[in-house]
Amino acid sequence: MLGIINGEVYDPRNGINGEVRDIWIEDGKIVSASAASPPELGGTEGGRDAAEIIDATGLVVMPGGVDIHSHIVGAKVNAGRKFRPEDHRDHVRSRTSLGPPFRGEVRGATRSGSGYTVPSTYMTGYLYAEMGYTTVMEAATAPLVARHTHEELEDTPILDKGVFITMGNNHFIMNCIRNGQREKARDYVAWLLEATKGYAIKIVNPGGVENWKWGRNVSELDDEVIGFGVTPRQIVTTLAWINDELGLPHVPHIHAINLGQSGNARTTVEMIEALEGRRAHFCHLQFLSYGGKPGKRLRSGAAEVARAVNEHPNITIDVGQIIFGPATTMTSDGPLQYRLHQLTGNKWLNDDVEGETGGGVVPMQYKRNNPFNAVQWLTGMELFLLIDDPWRVFLTTDHPNAGPFFYYPQVIKLLMDRDYRAEMLAGIHHRARKGALLAELDREYSLYEIAIITRAGTARALGLQNKGHLGVGADADVTIYAKLDDKEEMFARPRYVLKDGEVVVRDGRLVHERPGRTLYVTPPYDAGIEADLRTHFEECYTISFDNYPVAAEYLPHCEVVPCA
Amino acid sequence: MKIENVVCPFCGCLCDDIVVEVEDSRITAVKNACASGRSLFLNAHTQAVQPKVNGEEVDWPQAIDAAARILNDAASPLIYGLSSTASEAQRKAIALADLLGATIDSTSSVCHGPTTIGIQNQGEPTCTLGEVKHRADLLIFWGCNPAEAHQRHFSRYSALAKGKLTPNGRKDRTVVVVDVRPTASSRRADIFLQVRPGCDFEVLAALRALLKGQHLDVDEVGGVGVVQLQDLVERMKSCRFGVIFFGMGVTQTGGKHLNVAELLALVAELNAYTRFTTMPMRGHGNVAGADSTLTWQTGYPFAVNFARGYPQYNPGEFTAVDVLARGEADAALIIASDPVAHFPRQAAQRLSQIPTIVLDPEINLTAQVARVMLPTAIYGVSAAGTAYRMDNVPLPLKKVVESPRPTDEQVLDWMIERVKTCLA
Ligand SMILES: [Zn+2]
């Protein structure tokens, strides 16, 4: 048994806001969380006398961080690593022998790695853990290459992880929609999630990625997908219906149309409205909340989009906050990546995936004195401050699209400290600053709200019952911070991080490596769909139906998350 | 027993429609495979073989012990090969290199290494082979000869394949071959452009200039008439979906990675007119996997050195041929490859001068000079695992027959454990 005693606990899911509590852990689970009771520490209660004690007096205790949207593994990320040696050269991590054994563990070693915006897998696991995060969702995998994603996940230690499966340009689904066969599409989605060991439905630029295979895109909700006669609106609403029907723990995770373009706030709001009350998550919404006229100067449209989010309780979002400095853009949005290549002149990777999706990668540099980037930065800040309910707005940088994940502590400081925010605002391009709404927003996030937007809220939106809180039965993923005035420093180097009840980080450094689990869903479906699928595979794919599903052997560490 | 949908691990095509018949743990028939694939299955050794140290048969613990000692005693060990083993084994080999502070390199460095360098300069507009099958109406094969080297490429994925937008197969596509001499592939092309050896860069640069509407003051470039080049540019701009497949004729001649970068720039620029993609014709069955696994574990796809405790990348410095030819490597672990047969003489000779360990199903030339020979099962035949197709689509390799031999992954695991105890 392990006890974390006398800590100042922030556990929003259980309504605990900075009260002093003792938390007891056994077999990787929280077994008791109660008001501090010093007398018991004398050793009268069974087991507790033999317990390991972490004295958290004066420290802040939160559940481990839960990232709802990050690109850490798989074909696109690895292509990004491979073609960016310039990203890695100055950002390396040496292999180490770990310190003295903790609780009898055999002395082990950590792996070396490299990479800044696109770190190698082991390094990614270590860096997230050292920042106090214990669960991370990989935001997009093409089904055809899911096997690759799972191989990388197994090489990403410590973290629990899930994979979102791209479905917004899938031929089988679009054919079902055209033929009015919603139920067949539903069974297919269930089969596909099981076959790819996926966690959620991901929709990226619905229809636009298919049209890119013809050198085109979509720009309105009712544009036609070439060769299928369906529309982005139909794709999104059908998948939202399927998500509800299957009772998936998460909701459809949507990257909407017109990402990065002036005036896209309008189509973003239209897509929110098109859902007609069905639950959905809109990701990296900063990139989709711009005003101004299409093709003209970029302005923030955060007010318009935040209003729509506030009015639609069925919607959650993550921000995708811009971090000034290097980034690597990588999405399944093929036409967007080509556009970024043309805008920046930077090298461009594209990968069209047969019958399913596409994608690309382009390096990026966000600059304070670039008016376009400055607008992107303040748009993100405004979304954070204008969306009222912290349970529906989450902290991400759409890593590594808007910046590396290890800048989350800087974003936390920006949200908690309005003087720091004003200082940053003063340093961005004057044209972006002029008339910016951000200057008038003096809201400051509390520690309680930060705990919501970084773990409690994300875990709830993901449907992870055992994560993001410290109640009895929760996974014992716990982060303990020193209480510092400088919130960036506070959140960058936790004093302790526990994963499944084991201390993995002390004073911001990894002390113990262990594997994490891959979380996936197995919704039920009518097995009769298999005959149709065999035909579809023969017509559509260059690999056989039998070689497509990812077998259980690829997930030696895993957990099935139940559907409703 | 008939086993269907078997993946052939021979080349980067990874055809997954092979039917293998097995009787009494022996492969008796192979259907759908090309000649190379069929011979791989039919000639696969599966009998038990003892490992050897200094030519003497030993048991496995003794062999692992000898190998671990060699690697531990070395100041600058080299791990090389990887392209004909499964990604599971590749991952272990990288872990071992990290632990030892070794240099690790794959056969990529002597085939498509320049492709990687070209991509690092220029990016890569690519697609999976199914997109080629279903969409491509213009196929250009540059410096490669699939009719002989990737024998089912035409029928499964490209020239002959019948796809959604190409229902009539060959009739719906224009096939262009660019090479320095006529080949079996050029004889099946609609257009053959014969480039003077070493002039691929010039021809690619000329195509880029013509695409930009520039006038060329010459009649021919690199042996190809400007009229023919102009005709090709028009075809490229006006096709629906074009693709250039390229091979060692581009990557291992003249400007090497500069040729590749020029080709990639041309393909990227064509996307201003239509959709255009490109793909290297990867040779060994899992050479793409070697690039991938090395990249996700270290950040770099080949030529990686761990001597400073973290991965460093430098082709020309940390590539196997160079490390050997300079006499830097003082021990070598060769996995599923035969560098003594393929490397330049100086590099190959070094392998017989230093203690070399070979992990391979075959007694190849390298095994004959090796101090330690570790005979393993064959991925895709007598061992299951994962391989990456030339378009990076991962496929499951089956174990179609039993083998008493351990897998590369198993042996590398033993070695890692042994090296750790030696270190401690
Ligand atoms: Zn994303």
Side-chain angles (χ1 to χ4, degrees), chain B residues 80-83 105-113 282 284 287 290 336-337:
Chain B
Y80 175 78
L82 305 176
S83 57
D105 190 28
S106 86
T107 64
S108 259
S109 69
V110 292
C111 59
H112 277 282
R282 304 308 303 266
H284 292 289
V287 67
S337 170

Side-chain angles (χ1 to χ4, degrees), chain B residues 6 10 14 151 194 205 223 240 255 415:
Chain B
V6 174
F10 182 76
L14 292 184
Q151 294 167 45
Q194 189 163 351
R240 174 183 58 220
M415 248 188 249

Side-chain angles (χ1 to χ4, degrees), chain A residues 69 71 139 284 398 401:
Chain A
H69 186 114
H71 301 264
H284 39 74
D398 188 16
N401 280 286

Side-chain angles (χ1 to χ4, degrees), chain A residues 436-504:
Chain A
L437 183 57
L438 184 60
E440 299 161 28
L441 303 176
D442 55 7
R443 177 174 167 193
E444 284 182 333
Y445 272 64
S446 64
L447 276 177
Y448 190 71
E449 288 175 311
I450 292 296
I452 297 171
I453 69 169
T454 56
R455 48 265 282 167
T458 44
R460 192 172 85 170
L462 288 164
L464 292 169
Q465 302 298 334
N466 303 329
K467 304 234 178 254
H469 73 102
L470 299 171
V472 173
D475 293 344
D477 303 344
V478 187
T479 305
I480 304 171
Y481 302 99
K483 199 170 182 186
L484 304 177
D485 287 337
D486 186 324
K487 295 299 182 276
E488 183 170 5
E489 209 184 312
M490 170 175 168
F491 281 93
R493 287 199 314 123
R495 294 289 301 279
Y496 299 90
V497 180
L498 285 78
K499 178 72 182 63
D500 295 318
E502 293 181 7
V503 174
V504 290

Side-chain angles (χ1 to χ4, degrees), chain A residues 78 82 88 95 111-112 114 121 151 155 210 212 347-348 350 352 354 539-540 542 544 546-547 554, chain B residues 5 16 87 91 98 120 124 126 128 130-131 134-135 156 275 292 296-299 309 386 388-389 394:
Chain A
N78 213 36
K82 187 167 149 185
H88 319 334
R95 70 175 174 276
R111 294 288 302 275
S112 69
S114 78
T121 53
E151 282 211 289
D155 282 351
E210 175 62 25
W212 170 240
K347 56 191 175 185
W348 169 54
N350 175 85
D352 298 332
E354 59 205 67
E539 286 167 2
C540 213
T542 50
S544 75
D546 293 312
N547 286 326
Y554 284 92
Chain B
N5 301 311
D16 80 331
S87 63
R91 287 154 67 190
D98 195 358
Q120 288 169 344
E124 183 193 27
T126 190
T128 66
E131 291 294 323
H134 290 296
R135 293 177 194 273
R156 269 176 69 80
R275 284 310 313 284
S292 275
W296 83 58
Q297 290 201 0
T298 74
T386 309
Y388 287 69
R389 205 166 67 176

Side-chain angles (χ1 to χ4, degrees), chain B residues 151-380:
Chain B
Q151 294 167 45
R152 296 183 73 216
H153 194 279
F154 280 173
S155 59
R156 269 176 69 80
Y157 309 121
S158 60
L160 307 172
K162 292 179 178 172
K164 278 193 195 146
L165 302 174
T166 52
N168 305 307
R170 184 65 181 81
K171 288 196 200 90
D172 291 335
R173 310 183 200 264
T174 302
V175 176
V176 181
V177 168
V178 186
D179 214 327
V180 293
R181 67 183 74 82
T183 62
S185 298
S186 73
R187 283 188 283 279
R188 294 163 72 176
D190 299 301
I191 298 168
F192 173 50
L193 302 181
Q194 189 163 351
V195 176
R196 209 160 38 234
C199 290
D200 298 270
F201 182 88
E202 288 86 334
V203 174
L204 287 160
L207 288 170
R208 287 184 70 195
L210 293 170
L211 182 68
K212 292 194 162 130
Q214 286 169 13
H215 177 72
L216 299 183
D217 271 344
V218 289
D219 296 329
E220 58 103 28
V221 176
V224 186
V226 169
V227 178
Q228 287 167 285
L229 292 176
Q230 187 65 53
D231 172 68
L232 182 59
V233 166
E234 293 312 320
R235 289 176 189 277
M236 290 194 288
K237 280 163 72 175
S238 60
C239 71
R240 174 183 58 220
F241 193 98
V243 55
I244 304 180
F245 290 101
F246 62 98
M248 308 238 298
V250 175
T251 68
Q252 295 295 335
T253 61
K256 289 191 160 187
H257 65 278
L258 297 175
N259 298 346
V260 178
E262 198 67 6
L263 187 151
L264 295 168
L266 171 67
V267 172
E269 285 159 5
L270 281 161
N271 280 276
Y273 301 90
T274 183
R275 284 310 313 284
F276 226 98
T277 62
T278 182
M279 196 184 299
M281 296 287 262
R282 304 308 303 266
H284 292 289
N286 196 24
V287 67
D291 287 10
S292 275
T293 50
L294 264 163
T295 300
W296 83 58
Q297 290 201 0
T298 74
Y300 306 115
F302 68 109
V304 177
N305 173 279
F306 290 102
R308 297 177 105 168
Y310 53 81
Q312 287 184 289
Y313 166 67
N314 200 6
E317 184 178 8
F318 302 132
T319 24
V321 169
D322 303 277
V323 168
L324 288 167
R326 281 199 308 270
E328 258 171 47
D330 57 354
L333 168 60
I334 308 298
I335 303 167
S337 170
D338 193 7
V340 167
H342 301 117
F343 274 9
R345 186 155 23 121
Q346 218 180 346
Q349 266 173 359
R350 180 74 182 167
L351 285 169
S352 55
Q353 292 157 359
I354 60 177
T356 295
I357 304 154
V358 166
L359 217 72
D360 207 291
E362 300 291 329
I363 307 295
N364 56 27
L365 287 179
T366 310
Q368 289 173 28
V369 307
R371 182 135 349 144
V372 180
M373 170 61 199
L374 307 169
T376 49
I378 308 169
Y379 279 98

